[in-house]
């Protein structure tokens, strides 16, 4: 046995090794077949071979091949194509294009696979450049980089400065890099293209409303056997009618409607039922059994329904002929056809029967109100026709459902806002911008005040774009508490409010809070210039009716410092703000205290500020301070 094993191994090595490149002979294959499955598997593992050409597959593999192929085909049909397409460039995409000089590539080793020796790839020196070429290419690099980021036009073409448009639509980043590297002027440069996942703002970033309803539409429908049959269902050939007889006879009849529209009822003969509503058929059968069969009553129910063939035409994703259940409706047919294209209408889906429109379905009524009254049942030979989309209007900004909506004639601003789900809590009803193209083909902006009934009733036109602006984030009437306290946040402002009304006691402050130096940031009219005031909270709490209890104004910010950890984190942003608002005729209103004080550094200069105020800002003197003398320096 060992000898046979070795012979087979030698024979297999002759055609498994890539260098041999030959096909096994009939004798070699016969030797392999004569081995047991266990020995053959051991030999394959020893040689590192998964399969041998011409050898018989394992029985388990034979049983699972068809199932695996079916599963693979099904999974391929289920693969999300959108995920792959999202990686490809398209019109209006943003790109970063980087150019740089080529560098020397060192030699490297590249693996070839298991059991194979690696391949040595020699190094590649950078191309030699003359001084003139280097200067010219450096200018080109600087020019291309200065225009970053780039945006592809609507056709997916990239316009680099000094070059004709280069179409990159449909390529991924790697392919686009190779495409630009093929430009002659970039032959001695390394090119890199990176797509920026920028969220588009405005109408171009909005999606048409409603089409995602069919994103997960099934390709087929299972028979509807457990669904109640409506009373107005039209019976036709292929339907099954179940009749339960009870009384002097107890039996169940399953009667199938024949092609001529009849059922063959034992003891009653052929009965015409096709083309009638199921409720009428059931009533007539029960009545005939009661009249013609003595002592027998009947209960008629619907069994399996027939399959019907219908057509879905127009702007469907997969237009064509479909076989669906006899209980199917217009929406069932749309699901079977993969839904509606974005260029198709959702508001005028037409059901045609013998060339005439018998029903129009507005899918917005289904999506927004759950109304299925126009979702009619289908009959054999029906045609569902989807016309192109009509007038569309974009709604963006502070609405609950920003999107592009298809509208009907006579739709007003108020109607489109209702379609978009109404305004959000942050919407400013007085700041609504309507962008439209006027009669002179000019794009103009029209202000719409939603608190005006006539403005809300303004009719919309094709291509209008409505944007609802957001309320200002600033607090118009309130006081902000920040810093080293238990409950920072906003408090209501009222006329005559003072510091102790906002901070009622030291219990509101965290341990180690500096109650002798509390900073108040205040905005001055009319330019909102910031000024800083300080207050002694301890003195204000002792004497609430004294001037030390500073009177507050709307939009004041009260900042409490931690005497232990320092003041830089809270104080530096305020100092930077004061430096930014300084001018040549109004220097930065900042003072500094150094030496033997607890909190050295820069502080805001307050109106009427004294040395004692600056000492209080610095946290007071240290124990080692010489308290009888200090030095004041002024420029």
């Amino acid at each position: 046995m060992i000898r046979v094993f070795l012979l087979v191994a030698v024979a297999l090595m002759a055609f498994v090794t890539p260098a041999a490149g030959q096909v096994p002979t009939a004798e070699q294959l016969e030797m392999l077949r004569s081995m047991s499955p266990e020995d053959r598997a051991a030999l394959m593992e020893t040689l590192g071979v998964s399969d041998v050409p011409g050898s018989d597959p394992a029985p388990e593999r034979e049983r699972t091949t068809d199932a695996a192929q079916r599963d693979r085909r099904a999974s391929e049909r289920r693969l999300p194509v959108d995920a792959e397409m999202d990686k490809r460039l398209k019109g209006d995409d943003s790109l970063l294009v980087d150019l740089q000089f080529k560098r020397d590539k060192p030699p490297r080793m590249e693996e070839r696979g298991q059991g194979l020796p690696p391949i040595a790839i020699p190094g590649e020196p950078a191309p030699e450049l003359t001084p003139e070429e280097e200067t010219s290419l450096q200018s080109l690099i600087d020019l291309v980089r200065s225009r970053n980021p780039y945006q592809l036009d609507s056709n997916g073409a990239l316009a680099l400065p000094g070059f004709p448009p280069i179409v990159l639509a449909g390529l991924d980043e790697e392919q686009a890099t190779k495409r630009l590297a093929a430009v002659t002027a970039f032959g001695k440069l390394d090119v890199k293209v990176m797509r920026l996942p920028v969220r588009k703002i405005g109408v171009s970033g909005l999606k048409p409303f409603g089409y995602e309803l069919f994103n997960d539409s099934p390709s087929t429908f299972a028979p509807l056997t457990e669904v109640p049959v409506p009373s107005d269902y039209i019976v036709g050939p292929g339907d099954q009618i179940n009749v339960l007889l009870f009384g002097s006879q107890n039996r169940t009849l399953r009667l199938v409607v024949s092609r001529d529209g009849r059922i063959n009822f034992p003891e009653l003969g052929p009965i015409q039922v096709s083309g009638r509503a199921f409720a009428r058929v059931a009533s007539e059968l029960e009545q005939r059994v009661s009249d013609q069969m003595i002592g027998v009553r009947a209960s008629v129910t619907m069994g399996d329904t027939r399959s019907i063939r219908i057509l879905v035409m127009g702007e469907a994703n997969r237009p064509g002929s479909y076989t669906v259940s006899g209980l199917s409706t217009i929406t069932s047919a749309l699901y079977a056809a993969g839904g509606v294209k974005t260029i198709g209408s959702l508001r005028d889906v037409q059901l045609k029967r013998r060339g005439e429109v018998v029903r129009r379905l507005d899918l917005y009524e289904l999506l927004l109100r759950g109304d299925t009254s126009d979702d009619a049942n289908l009959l054999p030979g029906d045609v569902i026709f989807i016309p192109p989309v009509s007038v569309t209007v974009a709604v963006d900004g502070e609405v609950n459902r920003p999107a592009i909506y298809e509208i009907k004639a006579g739709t007003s601003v108020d109607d489109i806002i209702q379609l978009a789900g109404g305004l959000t809590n942050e919407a400013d009803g007085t700041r609504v911008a309507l962008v439209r193209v006027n009669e002179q083909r000019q794009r103009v902006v029209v202000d719409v005040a939603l608190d005006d009934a006539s403005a809300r009733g303004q009719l919309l036109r094709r291509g209008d774009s409505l944007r609802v602006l957001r309320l200002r984030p600033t607090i118009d009437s309130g006081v902000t508490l920040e810093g080293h306290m238990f409950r920072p946040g906003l408090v209501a402002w009222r006329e005559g409010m003072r510091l102790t009304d906002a901070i009622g006691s030291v219990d509101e402050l965290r341990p180690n809070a500096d109650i002798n130096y509390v900073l108040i940031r205040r905005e001055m009219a009319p330019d909102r210039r910031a000024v800083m005031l300080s207050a002694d909270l301890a003195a204000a709490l002792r004497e609430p009716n004294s001037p030390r209890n500073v009177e507050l104004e709307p939009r004041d910010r009260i900042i409490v410092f931690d005497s232990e950890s320092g003041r830089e984190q809270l104080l530096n942003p305020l100092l930077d703000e004061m430096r930014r608002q300084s001018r040549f005729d109004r220097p930065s209103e900042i003072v500094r205290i150094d030496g033997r004080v607890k909190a050295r550094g820069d502080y805001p200069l307050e109106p009427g500020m004294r040395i004692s105020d600056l000492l209080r800002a610095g946290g007071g003197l240290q124990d080692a301070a010489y308290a009888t003398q200090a030095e004041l320096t002024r420029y």
Side-chain angles (χ1 to χ4, degrees):
M1 182 64 190
I2 297 176
R3 182 173 178 271
V4 174
F5 187 91
L6 293 175
L7 288 175
V8 174
V10 172
L12 285 176
M13 289 298 294
F15 61 87
V16 169
T17 306
Q22 47 184 304
V23 180
T25 63
E27 292 79 5
Q28 293 169 344
L29 291 178
E30 185 61 32
M31 293 171 63
L32 183 64
R33 294 192 187 98
S34 63
M35 299 176 65
S36 65
E38 293 79 6
D39 292 338
R40 186 165 56 244
L43 177 61
M44 298 300 174
E45 183 178 358
T46 302
L47 298 177
V49 182
S50 60
D51 199 2
V52 178
S55 62
D56 293 336
E60 183 64 25
R61 184 177 177 182
E62 291 179 343
R63 291 193 296 269
T64 60
T65 299
D66 293 339
Q69 290 178 351
R70 289 195 300 269
D71 293 342
R72 185 175 65 254
R73 288 194 294 266
S75 64
E76 289 174 352
R77 288 195 299 268
R78 293 192 297 266
L79 283 177
V81 181
D82 292 342
E84 183 67 25
M85 293 302 294
D86 284 346
K87 299 179 181 179
R88 300 187 178 276
L89 301 177
K90 53 185 178 298
D92 298 328
D93 276 352
S94 296
L95 304 177
L96 282 179
V97 180
D98 185 40
L99 299 178
Q100 56 185 349
F101 290 106
K102 287 187 176 180
R103 300 178 180 178
D104 295 336
K105 295 182 179 179
R108 68 184 190 277
M109 303 296 291
E110 184 173 304
E111 298 293 335
R112 297 174 56 193
Q114 185 177 3
L116 299 176
I119 300 176
I121 299 178
E124 181 179 345
E128 296 183 0
L129 300 175
T130 63
E132 292 78 9
E133 287 179 326
E134 186 173 355
T135 302
S136 176
L137 291 177
Q138 185 62 55
S139 300
L140 178 60
I141 292 174
D142 295 339
L143 178 61
V144 171
R145 288 180 176 177
S146 65
R147 303 290 179 88
N148 274 318
Y150 292 88
Q151 186 175 18
L152 302 182
D153 62 16
S154 57
N155 296 321
L158 172 64
L160 293 175
F163 293 87
I166 304 172
V167 178
L168 301 180
L171 306 180
D172 57 22
E173 291 182 1
E174 182 179 357
Q175 294 169 340
T177 297
K178 293 180 179 179
R179 171 64 185 89
L180 291 185
V183 177
T184 305
F186 302 152
K188 297 184 178 182
L189 298 174
D190 279 334
V191 184
K192 185 177 181 181
V193 175
M194 183 173 65
R195 175 172 174 259
L196 297 177
V198 179
R199 180 183 179 271
K200 298 178 181 178
I201 300 177
V203 178
S204 60
L206 297 177
K207 293 182 179 180
F209 172 74
Y211 294 90
E212 65 277 3
L213 172 66
F214 307 100
N215 283 350
D216 299 323
S217 59
S219 58
T220 59
F221 284 85
L224 301 176
T225 56
E226 305 297 333
V227 179
V229 177
S231 59
D232 58 350
Y233 174 74
I234 304 300
V235 179
D239 285 335
Q240 185 184 65
I241 298 177
N242 297 332
V243 181
L244 174 64
L245 300 178
F246 58 93
S248 60
Q249 296 185 30
N250 293 309
R251 54 177 174 158
T252 300
L253 303 176
R254 291 180 173 83
L255 309 175
V256 179
V257 182
S258 62
R259 291 187 176 182
D260 58 0
R262 301 179 182 181
I263 57 173
N264 294 319
F265 201 112
E267 303 179 18
L268 296 182
I271 301 175
Q272 183 71 31
V273 295
S274 180
R276 301 179 184 178
F278 170 70
R280 180 181 174 186
V281 170
S283 177
E284 291 181 356
L285 289 179
E286 292 173 357
Q287 186 64 39
R288 291 189 64 168
V289 168
S290 178
D291 294 344
Q292 299 182 25
M293 300 178 67
I294 300 175
V296 180
R297 302 283 297 276
S299 175
V300 180
T301 59
M302 196 72 188
D304 294 339
T305 58
R306 67 189 185 278
S307 296
I308 61 175
R309 182 163 288 275
I310 53 96
L311 291 172
V312 181
M313 307 303 293
E315 303 302 333
N317 283 318
R318 294 192 297 268
S321 176
Y322 291 89
T323 300
V324 296
S325 168
L327 294 175
S328 296
T329 61
I330 299 176
T331 54
S332 303
L334 293 178
Y335 270 105
V340 182
K341 295 180 181 178
T342 54
I343 61 172
S345 173
L346 294 182
R347 310 210 63 180
D348 189 26
V349 180
Q350 302 172 8
L351 172 60
K352 294 189 174 183
R353 190 170 293 159
R354 299 183 183 88
E356 297 182 359
V357 178
V358 297
R359 188 69 62 90
R360 295 180 184 270
L361 174 63
D362 185 353
L363 285 174
Y364 278 24
E365 296 294 326
L366 172 63
L367 292 169
L368 301 177
R369 300 177 179 85
D371 185 2
T372 61
S373 58
D374 289 329
D375 192 14
N377 290 90
L378 302 179
L379 296 181
D382 281 354
V383 177
I384 291 94
F385 179 74
I386 305 169
V389 67
S390 58
V391 179
T392 58
V393 170
V395 186
D396 198 6
E398 294 303 315
V399 292
N400 289 312
R401 277 192 305 267
I404 300 175
Y405 292 89
E406 181 182 0
I407 62 172
K408 296 182 177 180
T411 301
S412 64
V413 171
D414 192 46
D415 296 332
I416 197 66
I417 289 179
Q418 296 305 316
L419 282 180
L423 303 178
T424 65
N425 295 332
E426 296 293 325
D428 184 358
T430 62
R431 296 291 306 279
V432 179
L434 176 62
V435 181
R436 68 171 28 155
V437 178
N438 60 14
E439 290 76 7
Q440 291 76 32
R441 309 304 300 169
Q442 297 173 337
R443 198 176 298 276
V444 298
V445 179
V446 179
D447 288 332
V448 179
L450 297 183
D451 52 0
D452 185 0
S454 60
R456 290 200 313 270
Q458 185 175 177
L459 299 182
L460 298 173
R461 305 177 187 174
R462 181 186 298 273
D464 281 356
S465 175
L466 193 71
R467 183 173 182 82
V468 182
L469 300 183
R470 191 183 184 92
L471 287 170
R472 293 191 306 271
T474 55
I475 300 297
D476 295 318
S477 179
V479 175
T480 305
L481 302 179
E482 299 178 6
H484 199 62
M485 53 195 320
F486 287 113
R487 295 183 295 180
L490 298 173
V491 294
W493 177 86
R494 62 180 184 275
E495 192 71 33
M497 183 178 183
R498 293 182 177 270
L499 178 61
T500 55
D501 295 327
I503 305 177
S505 69
V506 293
D507 294 334
E508 297 288 336
L509 309 180
R510 292 181 179 273
N512 299 320
D514 189 350
I515 62 174
N516 299 116
Y517 183 71
V518 175
L519 200 59
I520 302 173
R521 179 193 178 276
R522 177 169 296 171
E523 294 181 359
M524 305 298 293
D527 56 355
R528 293 183 57 185
R529 183 174 61 88
V531 297
M532 306 297 168
L533 306 174
S534 70
D536 189 343
L537 180 59
L541 291 173
R542 290 194 304 267
E543 304 174 20
N545 296 324
S546 68
R548 296 185 175 186
N549 194 8
V550 180
E551 186 173 348
L552 302 178
E553 295 185 5
R555 301 169 74 166
D556 278 355
R557 286 173 54 194
I558 302 175
I559 302 162
V560 179
F561 297 101
D562 181 4
S563 58
E564 183 177 3
S565 63
R567 302 174 179 179
E568 290 80 5
Q569 294 183 354
L570 294 174
L571 192 58
N572 286 342
L574 300 176
L575 296 175
D576 292 339
E577 182 181 14
M578 299 191 70
R579 293 187 182 101
R580 287 194 299 269
Q581 68 184 14
S582 63
R583 302 181 312 200
F584 74 96
D585 58 341
R586 187 174 63 197
S588 300
E589 297 177 344
I590 296 176
V591 293
R592 183 175 181 84
I593 185 169
D594 281 316
R596 296 294 182 172
V597 291
K598 296 180 180 178
R600 295 180 296 174
D602 293 338
Y603 288 92
L605 176 64
E606 309 169 27
M609 190 176 189
R610 297 179 177 274
I611 293 179
S612 58
D613 297 324
L614 186 55
L615 287 173
R616 181 167 49 85
L621 300 177
Q622 296 180 358
D623 294 341
Y626 182 64
T628 61
Q629 187 176 356
E631 181 180 285
L632 175 64
T633 304
R634 177 175 297 168
Y635 295 95

